[in-house]
Amino acid sequence: MTRSFTSRRPYWTRHTAHAQTTMAPRTSIDELKELLESSTRILALCGAGLSAASGLPTFRGAGGLWRNHEPTSLATPDAFEDDPVLVSLFYAWRKHMALKAQPNAGHFALAELAKRREGFLCLTQNVDGLSPRAGHPAAQLRHLHGSILDVKCFEECGYTEQNNLSDPPCPALAAAAADYPPDLTLPLLDPNVPTPEIDVEDLPHCPNCKNGLLRPGVVWFGEALDELMLMEVDNWIARGKIDLMLVIGTAAAVYPAAGYTRKAQRRGAVVAVVNPDADSAEGLMRNDFFLQGGAAEILPRLFEGVIGKMDADGKIVGA
């Protein structure tokens, strides 16, 4: 079983031998545009910051608690086994929020880059399904942590279903898909309001084995990432020199996903971080880049020489 750990410090700061001798990275978007336009093999690692402009909060949550629960405490197999109703409500609400959200200019820019650069591979830690909805080619996208739009059997009978758009997932979970005016709090999110009384038998069950409950197709804490997918990514990295590694909207603090930055560096990649948090520049070398800001604002400008100009709706002007 794969063990995950987190740290506030960027991965390359913790694991680069000469991290203490780093100097300020470059901050010129024009210089980075030139490098990107001449690059043939580009690897990207994306995190929750990519979806921030779509109105989705980061998983660890600027908002803190969910009904007095740490969101991470609900993202485990043990939590689902102990209280499948509560965890199902939590994920039904997150799925509803993901389906309500729309891809932003950052998602569209990455999708257009993929269409124009055969040697581009994007690794996303996001489970919200916004990248595919932006038209990102599936062959150039890997969902490291799965998708909240997929479901599978908790008893691991082998049943899986991709792109399940049921909202709510079943009538019993209707409270998670209710919409309220912005000035009112959804009762489900108010810890002072009891959760709906739901019988476990009324939750979605596996149509294959008939016994297991259906769970979201995401990688929970304590679970291993898909081994075949990891092998595919490693094979892609080993194929040759990597010109550029983009780290977008993530602190690169969760292993093993964050380890890809170091692997790309070993293949000769220049690292370019796009993040509004200035601390994300820590540990970068003077040959690397740090662009401070949101992905939806920066990526369309950065990719302009390859994809053309993009309007506010994520459409290529003149296409």
Side-chain angles (χ1 to χ4, degrees):
M1 185 171 291
T2 300
R3 181 170 60 93
S4 296
F5 66 83
T6 61
S7 168
R8 293 180 62 88
R9 298 171 61 198
Y11 181 86
W12 48 87
T13 301
R14 304 193 309 271
H15 293 266
T16 303
H18 50 275
Q20 298 304 317
T21 63
T22 58
M23 300 178 67
R26 293 178 280 178
T27 58
S28 169
I29 191 170
D30 290 331
E31 286 185 51
L32 183 52
K33 285 174 71 172
E34 288 183 13
L35 173 60
L36 186 137
E37 289 166 27
S38 64
S39 297
T40 56
R41 298 192 76 231
I42 304 168
L43 183 65
L45 175 67
C46 301
L50 174 61
S51 297
S54 296
L56 293 179
T58 60
F59 180 76
R60 297 175 197 285
L65 305 178
W66 189 85
R67 292 192 61 89
N68 286 336
H69 297 274
E70 288 284 352
T72 52
S73 72
L74 300 175
T76 71
D78 288 343
F80 187 79
E81 194 164 27
D82 291 343
D83 196 339
V85 170
L86 180 66
V87 174
S88 294
L89 281 168
F90 174 59
Y91 276 94
W93 170 75
R94 287 187 64 196
K95 180 180 181 181
H96 176 67
M97 296 296 291
L99 289 171
K100 278 180 58 180
Q102 296 299 318
N104 63 58
H107 296 105
F108 286 115
L110 286 164
E112 293 297 330
L113 181 64
K115 294 171 186 176
R116 290 163 172 79
R117 282 288 189 271
E118 184 179 346
F120 173 56
L121 181 64
C122 182
L123 314 178
T124 181
Q125 299 173 90
N126 298 335
V127 301
D128 51 42
L130 291 178
S131 290
R133 287 170 56 193
H136 199 120
Q140 291 163 275
L141 181 66
R142 296 292 181 272
H143 292 88
L144 297 179
H145 297 164
S147 171
I148 203 168
L149 303 184
D150 297 345
V151 295
K152 61 183 181 179
C153 179
F154 183 67
E155 298 300 328
E156 300 182 352
C157 75
Y159 177 80
T160 60
E161 180 185 354
Q162 295 183 326
N163 205 35
N164 180 305
L165 304 181
S166 300
D167 183 31
C170 68
L173 298 172
D179 288 316
Y180 274 67
D183 59 329
L184 296 178
T185 300
L186 178 68
L188 181 64
L189 302 184
D190 186 346
N192 297 312
V193 177
T195 55
E197 293 188 10
I198 299 173
D199 194 309
V200 173
E201 290 304 311
D202 292 329
L203 294 176
H205 282 65
C206 176
N208 182 48
C209 69
K210 312 298 183 185
N211 295 319
L213 292 171
L214 290 180
R215 53 157 285 183
V218 300
V219 179
W220 278 333
F221 289 98
E223 294 183 325
L225 276 65
D226 182 271
E227 290 187 7
L228 178 59
M229 176 191 63
L230 296 179
M231 186 184 304
E232 290 175 347
V233 175
D234 283 342
N235 288 341
W236 186 94
I237 291 173
R239 204 168 295 155
K241 182 181 185 298
I242 298 175
D243 302 300
L244 180 63
M245 172 78 191
L246 298 170
V247 181
I248 302 164
T250 175
V254 179
Y255 186 86
Y260 289 120
T261 300
R262 186 61 180 144
K263 290 181 179 181
Q265 286 176 318
R266 293 194 188 106
R267 285 287 169 178
V270 171
V271 176
V273 173
V274 177
N275 201 307
D277 184 359
D279 290 342
S280 298
E282 182 183 354
L284 291 172
M285 306 298 293
R286 63 181 177 181
N287 194 45
D288 296 325
F289 288 87
F290 176 66
L291 300 183
Q292 186 171 9
E297 170 199 357
I298 290 178
L299 296 187
R301 293 173 54 203
L302 178 59
F303 300 165
E304 188 176 279
V306 178
I307 69 175
K309 288 187 177 294
M310 178 177 285
D311 64 21
D313 296 322
K315 306 298 182 183
I316 301 301
V317 178

